[in-house]
Amino acid sequence: MRVAMFGYQTWGHRTLQALLDSEHDVVTVVTHPKSDHAYEKIWSDSVADLAEEHGVPVIIRNRPDDEELFRLLQEAAPDIIVANNWRTWIPPRIYDLPPHGTLNVHDSLLPKYAGFSPLIWALINGESEVGVTAHMMDEVLDAGDIVDQRAVKVEPADTSVDLFHKTVELIAPVTIGALDLIASGQTEFTRQDRSQATFFHKRAEEDIRINWDWPADALERLVRAQTSPYPNAFTFHRGKRLEVMSAVVSEGRYGGTPGRVFYREGEGVVIVAGADARTGLNHGLALTRVRTEDGRELPATEYFTSMGGYLTNRP
């Protein structure tokens, strides 16, 4: 099939590479301009550069809603559009333009985790598996019929970076598997159960702030989710920002006020956690490595020279 590709960053790059390696013909590529946004500098392999290396025409747009783009796509005459990590709304006249419509590739097991940062949200929420879904695009975001979907297991120590590497390897087989089904003439695919749908927003500063009322296991997942090169989860100690690079759930149970710097346990320093911590039935969060406001990264046992005091949500 003749394919037009919409995509950005490493997700789009992997999708384009899969298309170039396939029997399908990439006739044009639409991608976003480079951005200085912190999250968009992560996994920033260039779709434009890859397309140009292979002689594929490139169109740069923030939004795909102008007459020139529509004309160029008409002239390219794709049989289908494939999109992955396109960051703005695609209007119906674009996604319905090709005879086979538009196939969107999304890094979650739809209908769960539609929207943004699905791997980070899934890890924070303790999901047992994550994956990649190829679905037909319609008027509702990430809601169209599923053509192909594959999953990988979330291991106990996995970080968001681990999950990125696991799922990015699924892009090629999911994309090409879906295209081959469509090229074979199949038109009936799996409808999403919208009663199971969940939608998540873009992550921001407030989403990585540690709330010591959370239970320790949820905080440990937050730390693994917000691992470098993503912005690290943070708290405040004596009015200064303290980033948590790594942490584990404590072996012992510690009661008291959430946020209390309590006890050295193994390689870490236990912080009391959980809204019901006063019962003494909770595990704490044992910080093992931290980064100070001035950029020093060190073991928590070296940073906390004495026990006592509190870590807080605000300075």
Side-chain angles (χ1 to χ4, degrees), residues 214-241:
W214 283 22
D217 58 345
L219 291 176
E220 187 268 345
R221 293 194 301 269
L222 173 64
V223 171
R224 283 192 284 125
Q226 293 294 160
T227 191
S228 299
Y230 296 107
N232 294 103
F234 69 94
T235 185
F236 290 89
H237 185 228
R238 296 174 179 168
K240 294 186 180 295
R241 182 175 172 130

PDB file of all heavy atoms in Angstrom, residues 214-241:
ATOM      1  N   TRP A 214       0.473   9.230  50.420  1.00  0.00           N
ATOM      2  CA  TRP A 214       0.359   8.040  49.584  1.00  0.00           C
ATOM      3  C   TRP A 214       1.009   6.864  50.297  1.00  0.00           C
ATOM      4  O   TRP A 214       2.003   7.027  51.012  1.00  0.00           O
ATOM      5  CB  TRP A 214       1.071   8.251  48.261  1.00  0.00           C
ATOM      6  CG  TRP A 214       0.366   9.096  47.252  1.00  0.00           C
ATOM      7  CD1 TRP A 214      -0.607  10.015  47.486  1.00  0.00           C
ATOM      8  CD2 TRP A 214       0.633   9.101  45.850  1.00  0.00           C
ATOM      9  NE1 TRP A 214      -0.970  10.603  46.303  1.00  0.00           N
ATOM     10  CE2 TRP A 214      -0.233  10.070  45.287  1.00  0.00           C
ATOM     11  CE3 TRP A 214       1.494   8.407  45.020  1.00  0.00           C
ATOM     12  CZ2 TRP A 214      -0.245  10.335  43.922  1.00  0.00           C
ATOM     13  CZ3 TRP A 214       1.487   8.674  43.662  1.00  0.00           C
ATOM     14  CH2 TRP A 214       0.620   9.625  43.124  1.00  0.00           C
ATOM     15  N   PRO A 215       0.523   5.636  50.089  1.00  0.00           N
ATOM     16  CA  PRO A 215       1.199   4.464  50.653  1.00  0.00           C
ATOM     17  C   PRO A 215       2.561   4.254  50.001  1.00  0.00           C
ATOM     18  O   PRO A 215       2.797   4.686  48.864  1.00  0.00           O
ATOM     19  CB  PRO A 215       0.239   3.315  50.341  1.00  0.00           C
ATOM     20  CG  PRO A 215      -0.593   3.806  49.213  1.00  0.00           C
ATOM     21  CD  PRO A 215      -0.711   5.293  49.371  1.00  0.00           C
ATOM     22  N   ALA A 216       3.449   3.578  50.718  1.00  0.00           N
ATOM     23  CA  ALA A 216       4.835   3.429  50.268  1.00  0.00           C
ATOM     24  C   ALA A 216       4.938   2.723  48.919  1.00  0.00           C
ATOM     25  O   ALA A 216       5.790   3.074  48.094  1.00  0.00           O
ATOM     26  CB  ALA A 216       5.643   2.683  51.323  1.00  0.00           C
ATOM     27  N   ASP A 217       4.097   1.714  48.668  1.00  0.00           N
ATOM     28  CA  ASP A 217       4.215   0.998  47.392  1.00  0.00           C
ATOM     29  C   ASP A 217       3.857   1.891  46.215  1.00  0.00           C
ATOM     30  O   ASP A 217       4.482   1.810  45.150  1.00  0.00           O
ATOM     31  CB  ASP A 217       3.381  -0.285  47.393  1.00  0.00           C
ATOM     32  CG  ASP A 217       1.904  -0.056  47.648  1.00  0.00           C
ATOM     33  OD1 ASP A 217       1.518   1.043  48.103  1.00  0.00           O
ATOM     34  OD2 ASP A 217       1.114  -0.990  47.390  1.00  0.00           O
ATOM     35  N   ALA A 218       2.893   2.786  46.392  1.00  0.00           N
ATOM     36  CA  ALA A 218       2.540   3.730  45.331  1.00  0.00           C
ATOM     37  C   ALA A 218       3.658   4.745  45.118  1.00  0.00           C
ATOM     38  O   ALA A 218       3.963   5.115  43.976  1.00  0.00           O
ATOM     39  CB  ALA A 218       1.233   4.445  45.669  1.00  0.00           C
ATOM     40  N   LEU A 219       4.280   5.195  46.194  1.00  0.00           N
ATOM     41  CA  LEU A 219       5.395   6.139  46.068  1.00  0.00           C
ATOM     42  C   LEU A 219       6.598   5.486  45.407  1.00  0.00           C
ATOM     43  O   LEU A 219       7.305   6.117  44.605  1.00  0.00           O
ATOM     44  CB  LEU A 219       5.780   6.692  47.442  1.00  0.00           C
ATOM     45  CG  LEU A 219       4.750   7.614  48.089  1.00  0.00           C
ATOM     46  CD1 LEU A 219       5.217   8.009  49.485  1.00  0.00           C
ATOM     47  CD2 LEU A 219       4.515   8.858  47.236  1.00  0.00           C
ATOM     48  N   GLU A 220       6.837   4.223  45.721  1.00  0.00           N
ATOM     49  CA  GLU A 220       7.958   3.508  45.087  1.00  0.00           C
ATOM     50  C   GLU A 220       7.740   3.408  43.589  1.00  0.00           C
ATOM     51  O   GLU A 220       8.671   3.560  42.789  1.00  0.00           O
ATOM     52  CB  GLU A 220       8.093   2.123  45.731  1.00  0.00           C
ATOM     53  CG  GLU A 220       9.322   1.332  45.282  1.00  0.00           C
ATOM     54  CD  GLU A 220       9.041   0.439  44.098  1.00  0.00           C
ATOM     55  OE1 GLU A 220       7.845   0.197  43.779  1.00  0.00           O
ATOM     56  OE2 GLU A 220      10.017  -0.034  43.462  1.00  0.00           O
ATOM     57  N   ARG A 221       6.496   3.182  43.157  1.00  0.00           N
ATOM     58  CA  ARG A 221       6.199   3.132  41.731  1.00  0.00           C
ATOM     59  C   ARG A 221       6.340   4.507  41.092  1.00  0.00           C
ATOM     60  O   ARG A 221       6.793   4.624  39.945  1.00  0.00           O
ATOM     61  CB  ARG A 221       4.790   2.568  41.498  1.00  0.00           C
ATOM     62  CG  ARG A 221       4.648   1.100  41.883  1.00  0.00           C
ATOM     63  CD  ARG A 221       3.369   0.501  41.317  1.00  0.00           C
ATOM     64  NE  ARG A 221       2.169   1.184  41.772  1.00  0.00           N
ATOM     65  CZ  ARG A 221       1.482   0.858  42.849  1.00  0.00           C
ATOM     66  NH1 ARG A 221       1.886  -0.132  43.636  1.00  0.00           N
ATOM     67  NH2 ARG A 221       0.385   1.516  43.177  1.00  0.00           N
ATOM     68  N   LEU A 222       5.957   5.559  41.810  1.00  0.00           N
ATOM     69  CA  LEU A 222       6.136   6.922  41.304  1.00  0.00           C
ATOM     70  C   LEU A 222       7.608   7.200  41.043  1.00  0.00           C
ATOM     71  O   LEU A 222       7.974   7.772  40.011  1.00  0.00           O
ATOM     72  CB  LEU A 222       5.573   7.941  42.291  1.00  0.00           C
ATOM     73  CG  LEU A 222       5.836   9.421  41.956  1.00  0.00           C
ATOM     74  CD1 LEU A 222       5.140   9.810  40.660  1.00  0.00           C
ATOM     75  CD2 LEU A 222       5.384  10.322  43.098  1.00  0.00           C
ATOM     76  N   VAL A 223       8.475   6.798  41.966  1.00  0.00           N
ATOM     77  CA  VAL A 223       9.914   7.012  41.799  1.00  0.00           C
ATOM     78  C   VAL A 223      10.424   6.247  40.579  1.00  0.00           C
ATOM     79  O   VAL A 223      11.223   6.764  39.787  1.00  0.00           O
ATOM     80  CB  VAL A 223      10.673   6.589  43.071  1.00  0.00           C
ATOM     81  CG1 VAL A 223      12.188   6.590  42.835  1.00  0.00           C
ATOM     82  CG2 VAL A 223      10.319   7.529  44.226  1.00  0.00           C
ATOM     83  N   ARG A 224       9.962   4.998  40.395  1.00  0.00           N
ATOM     84  CA  ARG A 224      10.388   4.224  39.219  1.00  0.00           C
ATOM     85  C   ARG A 224       9.829   4.814  37.929  1.00  0.00           C
ATOM     86  O   ARG A 224      10.455   4.739  36.875  1.00  0.00           O
ATOM     87  CB  ARG A 224       9.946   2.768  39.362  1.00  0.00           C
ATOM     88  CG  ARG A 224      10.811   1.965  40.309  1.00  0.00           C
ATOM     89  CD  ARG A 224      10.532   0.476  40.199  1.00  0.00           C
ATOM     90  NE  ARG A 224       9.292   0.081  40.845  1.00  0.00           N
ATOM     91  CZ  ARG A 224       8.306  -0.575  40.245  1.00  0.00           C
ATOM     92  NH1 ARG A 224       8.400  -0.895  38.960  1.00  0.00           N
ATOM     93  NH2 ARG A 224       7.217  -0.924  40.920  1.00  0.00           N
ATOM     94  N   ALA A 225       8.627   5.380  38.009  1.00  0.00           N
ATOM     95  CA  ALA A 225       8.012   5.979  36.824  1.00  0.00           C
ATOM     96  C   ALA A 225       8.716   7.271  36.431  1.00  0.00           C
ATOM     97  O   ALA A 225       8.900   7.556  35.245  1.00  0.00           O
ATOM     98  CB  ALA A 225       6.528   6.240  37.079  1.00  0.00           C
ATOM     99  N   GLN A 226       9.087   8.045  37.425  1.00  0.00           N
ATOM    100  CA  GLN A 226       9.738   9.337  37.167  1.00  0.00           C
ATOM    101  C   GLN A 226      11.248   9.191  37.341  1.00  0.00           C
ATOM    102  O   GLN A 226      11.865   9.849  38.173  1.00  0.00           O
ATOM    103  CB  GLN A 226       9.163  10.408  38.085  1.00  0.00           C
ATOM    104  CG  GLN A 226       7.722  10.755  37.825  1.00  0.00           C
ATOM    105  CD  GLN A 226       7.475  11.421  36.464  1.00  0.00           C
ATOM    106  OE1 GLN A 226       6.360  11.424  35.964  1.00  0.00           O
ATOM    107  NE2 GLN A 226       8.518  12.003  35.874  1.00  0.00           N
ATOM    108  N   THR A 227      11.830   8.325  36.541  1.00  0.00           N
ATOM    109  CA  THR A 227      13.270   8.094  36.595  1.00  0.00           C
ATOM    110  C   THR A 227      13.938   8.803  35.421  1.00  0.00           C
ATOM    111  O   THR A 227      13.294   9.071  34.405  1.00  0.00           O
ATOM    112  CB  THR A 227      13.565   6.579  36.563  1.00  0.00           C
ATOM    113  OG1 THR A 227      14.922   6.341  36.858  1.00  0.00           O
ATOM    114  CG2 THR A 227      13.242   5.974  35.204  1.00  0.00           C
ATOM    115  N   SER A 228      15.211   9.110  35.541  1.00  0.00           N
ATOM    116  CA  SER A 228      15.927   9.801  34.460  1.00  0.00           C
ATOM    117  C   SER A 228      15.891   8.940  33.198  1.00  0.00           C
ATOM    118  O   SER A 228      15.985   7.715  33.290  1.00  0.00           O
ATOM    119  CB  SER A 228      17.381  10.036  34.877  1.00  0.00           C
ATOM    120  OG  SER A 228      17.443  10.839  36.030  1.00  0.00           O
ATOM    121  N   PRO A 229      15.721   9.563  32.010  1.00  0.00           N
ATOM    122  CA  PRO A 229      15.813  10.997  31.728  1.00  0.00           C
ATOM    123  C   PRO A 229      14.534  11.798  31.968  1.00  0.00           C
ATOM    124  O   PRO A 229      14.494  12.989  31.670  1.00  0.00           O
ATOM    125  CB  PRO A 229      16.175  11.014  30.248  1.00  0.00           C
ATOM    126  CG  PRO A 229      15.465   9.828  29.687  1.00  0.00           C
ATOM    127  CD  PRO A 229      15.579   8.777  30.756  1.00  0.00           C
ATOM    128  N   TYR A 230      13.458  11.169  32.478  1.00  0.00           N
ATOM    129  CA  TYR A 230      12.287  11.936  32.863  1.00  0.00           C
ATOM    130  C   TYR A 230      12.596  12.733  34.132  1.00  0.00           C
ATOM    131  O   TYR A 230      13.489  12.356  34.900  1.00  0.00           O
ATOM    132  CB  TYR A 230      11.102  10.998  33.118  1.00  0.00           C
ATOM    133  CG  TYR A 230      10.641  10.248  31.904  1.00  0.00           C
ATOM    134  CD1 TYR A 230      10.903   8.885  31.760  1.00  0.00           C
ATOM    135  CD2 TYR A 230       9.943  10.891  30.887  1.00  0.00           C
ATOM    136  CE1 TYR A 230      10.489   8.190  30.631  1.00  0.00           C
ATOM    137  CE2 TYR A 230       9.523  10.202  29.763  1.00  0.00           C
ATOM    138  CZ  TYR A 230       9.797   8.857  29.641  1.00  0.00           C
ATOM    139  OH  TYR A 230       9.391   8.169  28.515  1.00  0.00           O
ATOM    140  N   PRO A 231      11.881  13.820  34.375  1.00  0.00           N
ATOM    141  CA  PRO A 231      12.070  14.557  35.627  1.00  0.00           C
ATOM    142  C   PRO A 231      11.793  13.648  36.821  1.00  0.00           C
ATOM    143  O   PRO A 231      10.833  12.877  36.818  1.00  0.00           O
ATOM    144  CB  PRO A 231      11.025  15.681  35.539  1.00  0.00           C
ATOM    145  CG  PRO A 231      10.744  15.829  34.076  1.00  0.00           C
ATOM    146  CD  PRO A 231      10.874  14.462  33.491  1.00  0.00           C
ATOM    147  N   ASN A 232      12.655  13.738  37.837  1.00  0.00           N
ATOM    148  CA  ASN A 232      12.528  12.846  38.990  1.00  0.00           C
ATOM    149  C   ASN A 232      11.479  13.331  39.973  1.00  0.00           C
ATOM    150  O   ASN A 232      11.250  14.537  40.138  1.00  0.00           O
ATOM    151  CB  ASN A 232      13.868  12.724  39.706  1.00  0.00           C
ATOM    152  CG  ASN A 232      14.917  12.036  38.854  1.00  0.00           C
ATOM    153  OD1 ASN A 232      15.795  12.682  38.297  1.00  0.00           O
ATOM    154  ND2 ASN A 232      14.820  10.730  38.722  1.00  0.00           N
ATOM    155  N   ALA A 233      10.847  12.361  40.661  1.00  0.00           N
ATOM    156  CA  ALA A 233       9.916  12.693  41.741  1.00  0.00           C
ATOM    157  C   ALA A 233      10.665  13.512  42.791  1.00  0.00           C
ATOM    158  O   ALA A 233      11.853  13.292  43.039  1.00  0.00           O
ATOM    159  CB  ALA A 233       9.366  11.415  42.358  1.00  0.00           C
ATOM    160  N   PHE A 234       9.959  14.468  43.411  1.00  0.00           N
ATOM    161  CA  PHE A 234      10.658  15.348  44.336  1.00  0.00           C
ATOM    162  C   PHE A 234       9.825  15.639  45.582  1.00  0.00           C
ATOM    163  O   PHE A 234       8.606  15.502  45.596  1.00  0.00           O
ATOM    164  CB  PHE A 234      11.054  16.665  43.659  1.00  0.00           C
ATOM    165  CG  PHE A 234       9.888  17.560  43.314  1.00  0.00           C
ATOM    166  CD1 PHE A 234       9.479  18.563  44.178  1.00  0.00           C
ATOM    167  CD2 PHE A 234       9.198  17.394  42.118  1.00  0.00           C
ATOM    168  CE1 PHE A 234       8.407  19.388  43.866  1.00  0.00           C
ATOM    169  CE2 PHE A 234       8.119  18.207  41.799  1.00  0.00           C
ATOM    170  CZ  PHE A 234       7.729  19.209  42.669  1.00  0.00           C
ATOM    171  N   THR A 235      10.540  16.057  46.620  1.00  0.00           N
ATOM    172  CA  THR A 235       9.956  16.457  47.885  1.00  0.00           C
ATOM    173  C   THR A 235      10.761  17.659  48.363  1.00  0.00           C
ATOM    174  O   THR A 235      11.605  18.187  47.623  1.00  0.00           O
ATOM    175  CB  THR A 235      10.008  15.281  48.882  1.00  0.00           C
ATOM    176  OG1 THR A 235       9.336  15.642  50.079  1.00  0.00           O
ATOM    177  CG2 THR A 235      11.433  14.866  49.193  1.00  0.00           C
ATOM    178  N   PHE A 236      10.507  18.118  49.594  1.00  0.00           N
ATOM    179  CA  PHE A 236      11.285  19.224  50.155  1.00  0.00           C
ATOM    180  C   PHE A 236      11.820  18.833  51.520  1.00  0.00           C
ATOM    181  O   PHE A 236      11.126  18.201  52.323  1.00  0.00           O
ATOM    182  CB  PHE A 236      10.437  20.497  50.260  1.00  0.00           C
ATOM    183  CG  PHE A 236      10.116  21.110  48.928  1.00  0.00           C
ATOM    184  CD1 PHE A 236       8.986  20.738  48.225  1.00  0.00           C
ATOM    185  CD2 PHE A 236      10.970  22.045  48.355  1.00  0.00           C
ATOM    186  CE1 PHE A 236       8.693  21.278  46.985  1.00  0.00           C
ATOM    187  CE2 PHE A 236      10.693  22.601  47.120  1.00  0.00           C
ATOM    188  CZ  PHE A 236       9.562  22.219  46.433  1.00  0.00           C
ATOM    189  N   HIS A 237      13.077  19.208  51.768  1.00  0.00           N
ATOM    190  CA  HIS A 237      13.711  18.969  53.066  1.00  0.00           C
ATOM    191  C   HIS A 237      14.333  20.270  53.537  1.00  0.00           C
ATOM    192  O   HIS A 237      15.166  20.851  52.833  1.00  0.00           O
ATOM    193  CB  HIS A 237      14.784  17.890  52.951  1.00  0.00           C
ATOM    194  CG  HIS A 237      15.399  17.510  54.247  1.00  0.00           C
ATOM    195  ND1 HIS A 237      16.758  17.416  54.435  1.00  0.00           N
ATOM    196  CD2 HIS A 237      14.825  17.207  55.449  1.00  0.00           C
ATOM    197  CE1 HIS A 237      17.011  17.054  55.675  1.00  0.00           C
ATOM    198  NE2 HIS A 237      15.850  16.933  56.310  1.00  0.00           N
ATOM    199  N   ARG A 238      13.858  20.740  54.680  1.00  0.00           N
ATOM    200  CA  ARG A 238      14.333  22.010  55.233  1.00  0.00           C
ATOM    201  C   ARG A 238      14.193  23.139  54.223  1.00  0.00           C
ATOM    202  O   ARG A 238      15.056  24.007  54.090  1.00  0.00           O
ATOM    203  CB  ARG A 238      15.778  21.887  55.701  1.00  0.00           C
ATOM    204  CG  ARG A 238      15.939  20.883  56.852  1.00  0.00           C
ATOM    205  CD  ARG A 238      17.380  20.653  57.204  1.00  0.00           C
ATOM    206  NE  ARG A 238      17.507  19.710  58.316  1.00  0.00           N
ATOM    207  CZ  ARG A 238      18.665  19.158  58.686  1.00  0.00           C
ATOM    208  NH1 ARG A 238      19.782  19.438  58.030  1.00  0.00           N
ATOM    209  NH2 ARG A 238      18.687  18.320  59.720  1.00  0.00           N
ATOM    210  N   GLY A 239      13.077  23.102  53.482  1.00  0.00           N
ATOM    211  CA  GLY A 239      12.746  24.174  52.555  1.00  0.00           C
ATOM    212  C   GLY A 239      13.400  24.083  51.191  1.00  0.00           C
ATOM    213  O   GLY A 239      13.144  24.919  50.324  1.00  0.00           O
ATOM    214  N   LYS A 240      14.233  23.080  50.962  1.00  0.00           N
ATOM    215  CA  LYS A 240      14.925  22.946  49.688  1.00  0.00           C
ATOM    216  C   LYS A 240      14.449  21.700  48.949  1.00  0.00           C
ATOM    217  O   LYS A 240      14.179  20.670  49.556  1.00  0.00           O
ATOM    218  CB  LYS A 240      16.441  22.889  49.898  1.00  0.00           C
ATOM    219  CG  LYS A 240      17.026  24.183  50.445  1.00  0.00           C
ATOM    220  CD  LYS A 240      18.543  24.117  50.498  1.00  0.00           C
ATOM    221  CE  LYS A 240      19.136  25.411  51.036  1.00  0.00           C
ATOM    222  NZ  LYS A 240      18.853  26.545  50.116  1.00  0.00           N
ATOM    223  N   ARG A 241      14.387  21.816  47.649  1.00  0.00           N
ATOM    224  CA  ARG A 241      13.927  20.707  46.812  1.00  0.00           C
ATOM    225  C   ARG A 241      14.905  19.536  46.890  1.00  0.00           C
ATOM    226  O   ARG A 241      16.126  19.721  46.821  1.00  0.00           O
ATOM    227  CB  ARG A 241      13.782  21.185  45.373  1.00  0.00           C
ATOM    228  CG  ARG A 241      13.261  20.132  44.399  1.00  0.00           C
ATOM    229  CD  ARG A 241      13.058  20.761  43.036  1.00  0.00           C
ATOM    230  NE  ARG A 241      12.739  19.778  42.000  1.00  0.00           N
ATOM    231  CZ  ARG A 241      11.713  19.884  41.162  1.00  0.00           C
ATOM    232  NH1 ARG A 241      10.894  20.914  41.261  1.00  0.00           N
ATOM    233  NH2 ARG A 241      11.503  18.972  40.234  1.00  0.00           N
TER     234      ARG A 241
END
